[in-house]
Each structure stands twice: as structure tokens, then as C-alpha cells.
Amino acid sequence: MGSRGISIVGMDVNELVTILNKALSDEWLAHYQYWVGSKVVAGPMKDAVIAELVQHAAEEMGHAELLSTRIIQLGGTPVLTPEQWFKSTTCGYDAPEDPFVQAVLQQNIKGEQCAIGVYDQLMKLTKDADPVTYNMALQILEQEVEHEQDLQDLLDDLKIMLSRCHMSE
Ligand code: FE
Ligand code: FE
Ligand code: MG
């Protein structure tokens, strides 16, 4: 660990590592929720939805990468077991038990809205205390906002399509 890099952090480093590990747990659960969702999802616009879910699964892994790198820089240890993900998570895990496109999109929108709250909080916490973590949280937050938008756009298109189908009946 870099002692000078840690010494500029103006807050309790152990507390910060705990918060970063909570976010890391969220990211792994989000990754799997997207990944397995892309495998089981069914219904209209399936191909477009799968493409977005697969992309988001990869991007959540990228967030896990950023968080674990920062945790190690701070002298911490990234969560070592999947069991810990469930103990540490803020946003939880929604199994895609209903594979219909609309249900899967709604579950993942809920997850993104939770993630946006997590990184907004992290930015507020680190604003004056840790510019490196703040900058990382901003990078992730920008992508979570994009994720929510991408899913909402798909859901809106799906609703238009379904309402047209009902009209033509
Ligand atoms: Fe993420
Ligand atoms: Fe996301
Ligand atoms: Mg996207």
C-alpha cells in the first residue's frame, strides 16, 4: 500500500473500505443479475434487450474492477467470498424468475436506481475528504445513470409496441 496516498485521505480509511466493499458486493450481484437475465429473458424486442443486458453485465464488472483497485490502494482487502456479497449488499439481488422482457427490465431499473443512490452517497461522503475515490464514484455514477436511461428507453419502446398490439386487436 502507498502510505503517502493513504495519508491524504481525510476520513476514517477503515470506514471507507467497508463502504467500498459494500459497493463491490452490489456490483457483483448486479453483474450476475444482468448476466443470467440475458440468458433467460424472453418476449418482444428480446435481441435488443439481450444486447443491453450483456453490455451492462460487462460494465458492472468494470465497476467491480475500479472498486477493488481502490480498496487495495487504501490497504484494504476486497470481499473474498460470495457469501459476503449478501451480507454487505445495499441493493440486493432480484432473481429474474419472471423471464418476460418487461419484468427483467423493471428489475434492473430498480437495481440501477439503487446504485445511483449508492454512488451519490459515496460522492457526498468523499467530496472534501478523498478526491481519488470521489473521482472513481463519479465515473461509476455517470455509467449507472446511463444504464438506467438505456433500460428505461427499452421499456418505453416496449410499452409503445404493446399498446399498438392491443389497439389492433
Ligand atoms: Fe455498477
Ligand atoms: Fe449499472
Ligand atoms: Mg448501455
Side-chain angles (χ1 to χ4, degrees):
M1 66 177 110
S3 58
R4 183 66 183 135
I6 292 177
S7 76
I8 62 166
V9 176
M11 61 179 291
D12 186 324
V13 173
N14 288 331
E15 187 200 332
L16 181 56
V17 166
T18 300
I19 292 164
L20 295 177
N21 262 321
K22 286 173 70 65
L24 178 59
S25 301
D26 287 333
E27 293 295 351
W28 271 98
L29 293 171
H31 166 74
Y32 192 76
Q33 190 175 308
Y34 274 122
W35 181 84
V36 80
S38 79
K39 303 297 177 193
V40 300
V41 72
M45 294 172 44
K46 189 178 90 155
D47 290 347
V49 173
I50 289 173
E52 203 65 57
L53 298 179
V54 166
Q55 185 201 40
H56 290 193
E59 287 168 350
E60 306 306 0
M61 285 292 295
H63 301 165
E65 188 70 42
L66 288 169
L67 287 159
S68 59
T69 299
R70 188 64 188 137
I71 288 166
I72 287 166
Q73 282 176 351
L74 291 167
T77 305
V79 283
L80 296 177
T81 65
E83 288 82 359
Q84 194 60 44
W85 299 341
F86 288 97
K87 291 177 191 150
S88 300
T89 182
T90 304
C91 298
Y93 180 81
D94 265 340
E97 274 151 14
D98 179 354
F100 187 56
V101 275
Q102 198 165 3
V104 172
L105 287 170
Q106 275 163 346
Q107 278 181 332
N108 288 306
I109 287 170
K110 196 176 124 216
E112 292 299 340
Q113 289 174 344
C114 181
I116 288 168
V118 163
Y119 293 105
D120 182 49
Q121 276 293 109
L122 182 58
M123 287 185 70
K124 285 179 175 133
L125 190 75
T126 53
K127 190 173 187 300
D128 298 310
D130 181 359
V132 177
T133 300
Y134 178 86
N135 184 56
M136 178 208 69
L138 176 58
Q139 272 184 70
I140 299 176
L141 179 63
E142 283 172 346
Q143 208 156 46
E144 307 301 16
V145 168
E146 186 188 309
H147 287 174
E148 183 199 26
Q149 182 71 43
D150 291 344
L151 300 178
Q152 192 63 57
D153 286 347
L154 284 166
L155 191 61
D156 291 347
D157 285 354
L158 186 65
K159 279 179 182 161
I160 292 168
M161 190 189 186
L162 294 173
S163 71
R164 294 285 167 117
C165 289
H166 289 305
M167 277 166 65
S168 63
E169 268 169 15

